[in-house]
Amino acid sequence: MIRSPGRLLGRIAGIPVHAHWTTALIGAFVWYILATSILPGTEARGTDGALMLLAVLGTAAFLGSILAHELAHAVVARRFGLGVESVSLELLGGIARLDRDPRRPREALGIAAAGPLASIALGAIGIGLTFGLAAVAAPTPLRTLALWLGGANLVLGVFNLLPGLPLDGGRILQALLWGRSGDEHRATVTAARAGRVVGYGLMGYGAAGLFGATPGGLWTLFLGWFIQAAAGAELHNARAMAAVAGVRVGDVMSSPVTCVQDHLTLTALTTELPARLHSTYPVQAFSGRISGMVTIEHLRTPNGVDPDSVSVREVMTPASQLTWATPDEPLVDVLRRAEPTSLGRIFVGHEADLKGLVTPTDLQRAARFAALLRAGRTSATVADPAPSTPVEPTGAGIR
Ligand SMILES: [Zn+2]
């Protein structure tokens, strides 16, 4: 997945607008079909040069309308008090990055619906403009462009309303289910399952298109594959969240924690590791403060590097890149804001006073216990299998 928002283009209503380099691919593709088939397809009155220029304007208007869709999400999110980190254009359209997830179904519904509504409104404007241009007998390519832009926005709006995560329609479905049942994570699980169905459906439609059975094709196949994969990731996260809902960090942390000194060489550390049996070690500076973390993964030295000459300090993840929490914080909240650099580990307390550590193993155990409690202590079966891998922090973003 594309993680960086790309180059900063400027700000609209105070919201930073970025474009990933892959936007250029979409731009080139749209320009190409406009210039070679859509615009000349009508009885062209302009010269070739004028058509090329019109195709450039059309491409800009198309990318601008994707931006408008994302800005609609962002503006509504801001009205509900969420922070908007950026809005960016990329290969698969756009994404609005928010500083957190919505806390109420009403917020989730408003933010999700704003994008498709903006696209449908732009679609209606495009169609209206087509009639207006016809009334004043504007040149045909101009009318064709307005009609194409209107149609593209309508398709964008309606496509995004397909009811499965990660599409806006899936977020709307999730918000409605959440509002009705009050269980946010169960609602996400259902909407993510629906997303997989939508993804597989699109893949089937695209595959049939390759044989000429439908107007679909390779792009629909790819889009379907992307949607089912993203829905799968959402499903995994939602299941993990549902499993630990109501659990506090202090309930699941391992304590006390074995720390290692930052001046140790990797050789010294590896020779001591087998007796210690942990995959994660907080690293302590000479002052006693926690300065970072080493995991088994950190101990692999590149070829040609002598592990005797490298200290723990040189390979560790620094404390500033770790996820820190207090013991009474709900686990779900911490998982949502977890730093990817913390590799699924949560540090409890602060640098001068480490109270405990939550590792992926602790999370799995917590999820199993929570499921047991929900199933009732008398029943030995666990209704909801615990997630086998920790939550992947995806960051709050909406397309
Ligand atoms: Zn959207």
Side-chain angles (χ1 to χ4, degrees):
M1 258 323 291
I2 296 167
R3 290 210 181 264
S4 113
R7 183 180 287 273
L8 179 68
L9 298 182
R11 283 165 195 277
I12 298 178
I15 297 168
V17 174
H18 296 255
H20 195 261
W21 69 268
T22 46
T23 311
L25 298 179
I26 289 292
F29 176 71
V30 170
W31 178 83
Y32 180 77
I33 55 164
L34 279 176
T36 61
S37 72
I38 308 278
L39 298 179
T42 55
E43 24 111 21
R45 258 192 245 164
T47 61
D48 274 0
L51 280 189
M52 301 289 117
L53 191 65
L54 196 58
V56 171
L57 288 177
T59 306
F62 177 77
L63 293 176
S65 48
I66 293 179
L67 205 55
H69 174 113
E70 301 309 328
L71 281 169
H73 286 308
V75 166
V76 173
R78 212 164 54 170
R79 274 189 69 107
F80 280 122
L82 283 82
V84 179
E85 283 161 8
S86 67
V87 157
S88 55
L89 289 173
E90 52 181 55
L91 185 62
L92 289 160
I95 187 162
R97 288 181 170 84
L98 311 177
D99 67 346
R100 61 168 172 88
D101 289 320
R103 297 216 173 104
R104 280 186 296 270
R106 220 167 54 88
E107 291 176 7
L109 182 65
I111 296 168
L117 285 180
S119 295
I120 290 170
L122 285 173
I125 291 172
I127 307 288
L129 195 61
T130 312
F131 284 111
L133 288 171
V136 298
T140 312
L142 211 54
R143 276 148 53 189
T144 309
L145 181 62
L147 184 65
W148 182 83
L149 280 170
N153 273 290
L154 285 180
V155 169
L156 199 67
V158 172
F159 175 79
N160 271 293
L161 284 174
L162 287 176
L165 287 178
L167 297 171
D168 293 330
R171 307 218 178 271
I172 292 171
L173 175 67
Q174 189 264 1
L176 294 174
L177 292 172
W178 178 12
R180 219 172 55 174
S181 69
D183 188 336
E184 178 189 0
H185 305 299
R186 289 284 138 208
T188 314
V189 167
T190 309
R193 283 207 184 108
R196 284 226 282 219
V197 174
V198 168
Y200 286 128
L202 285 170
M203 283 175 75
Y205 186 80
L210 294 181
F211 299 101
T214 62
L218 210 52
W219 179 248
T220 321
L221 186 66
F222 170 66
L223 208 56
W225 173 81
F226 169 78
I227 287 170
Q228 68 77 27
E234 298 244 13
L235 185 60
H236 172 82
N237 278 2
R239 276 189 179 143
M241 292 292 198
V244 294
V247 177
R248 292 186 182 273
V249 172
D251 302 336
V252 297
M253 69 180 187
S254 301
S255 177
V257 186
T258 317
C259 297
V260 297
Q261 297 297 315
D262 67 352
H263 60 80
L264 279 182
T265 64
L266 295 190
T267 311
L269 189 60
T270 8
T271 49
E272 288 178 33
L273 272 180
R276 292 181 169 175
L277 296 170
H278 296 301
S279 66
T280 313
Y281 294 94
V283 179
Q284 230 167 5
F286 184 69
S287 64
R289 288 177 77 88
I290 301 301
S291 55
M293 161 184 88
V294 275
T295 65
I296 290 179
E297 292 79 32
H298 285 100
L299 300 180
R300 276 193 219 110
T301 43
N303 277 343
V305 175
D306 178 11
D308 244 344
S309 66
V310 181
S311 71
V312 167
R313 197 187 300 142
E314 291 168 78
V315 296
M316 70 181 187
T317 303
S320 58
Q321 291 177 22
L322 299 174
T323 306
W324 291 85
T326 60
D328 355 305
E329 231 177 309
L331 196 49
V332 166
D333 292 356
V334 183
L335 291 174
R336 277 200 174 125
R337 64 172 175 79
E339 303 287 344
T341 44
S342 204
L343 305 172
R345 276 80 169 180
I346 301 167
F347 280 65
V348 190
H350 49 89
E351 286 167 32
D353 178 23
L354 183 68
K355 295 192 186 320
L357 183 65
V358 181
T359 63
T361 320
D362 295 323
L363 286 178
Q364 277 178 43
R365 195 175 47 230
R368 292 215 172 88
F369 269 113
L372 268 177
L373 284 175
R374 264 197 300 277
R377 284 166 205 274
T378 50
S379 162
T381 55
V382 178
D384 189 17
S388 55
T389 45
V391 173
E392 279 279 330
T394 50
I398 187 161
R399 284 180 181 281

